[in-house]
Amino acid sequence: PWRAQLDPFGVEGNARKLWATLEKKNPAFAGRQPYLVKSGKLTRLQAGGFVNKGEAESFCTALRKDGQPCLVVDK
């Protein structure tokens, strides 16, 4: 049930572009499922497929080291 939220976007296509970019350069994305969650005018980009909160936290920690915002959320 845990996900890692990367960024909110006003344009859904930008969320898709970020996912494609991060997936190519970061091995932490292997086996992760992208979710585009609509919230009003925003599209929140989330990564899923985590077994528990700790796994999602480790994912976010790795991303933050590269300067990518990341927040663990319970779907």
Side-chain angles (χ1 to χ4, degrees), residues 6 13 19 38 42 62 65 74-75:
L6 307 178
W19 182 268
K38 300 286 186 176
L42 294 177
K65 287 180 183 176
D74 183 1
K75 69 171 187 164

Side-chain angles (χ1 to χ4, degrees), residues 9-20 36 38 43:
F9 292 89
V11 177
E12 183 179 321
N14 292 340
R16 293 180 186 279
K17 286 178 191 174
L18 178 63
W19 182 268
L36 301 171
K38 300 286 186 176
T43 299

Side-chain angles (χ1 to χ4, degrees), residues 13 16 22-23 25 30-31 37-39 44 52-53 56-57 60 62 70 72:
R16 293 180 186 279
L22 292 174
E23 189 175 36
K25 72 177 189 177
V37 180
K38 300 286 186 176
S39 178
R44 300 180 191 283
N52 56 45
K53 184 178 181 181
E57 283 288 354
C60 277
C70 188
V72 174

Side-chain angles (χ1 to χ4, degrees), residues 22-36:
L22 292 174
E23 189 175 36
K24 287 178 186 173
K25 72 177 189 177
N26 194 322
F29 280 79
R32 300 293 167 218
Q33 172 71 35
Y35 292 92
L36 301 171

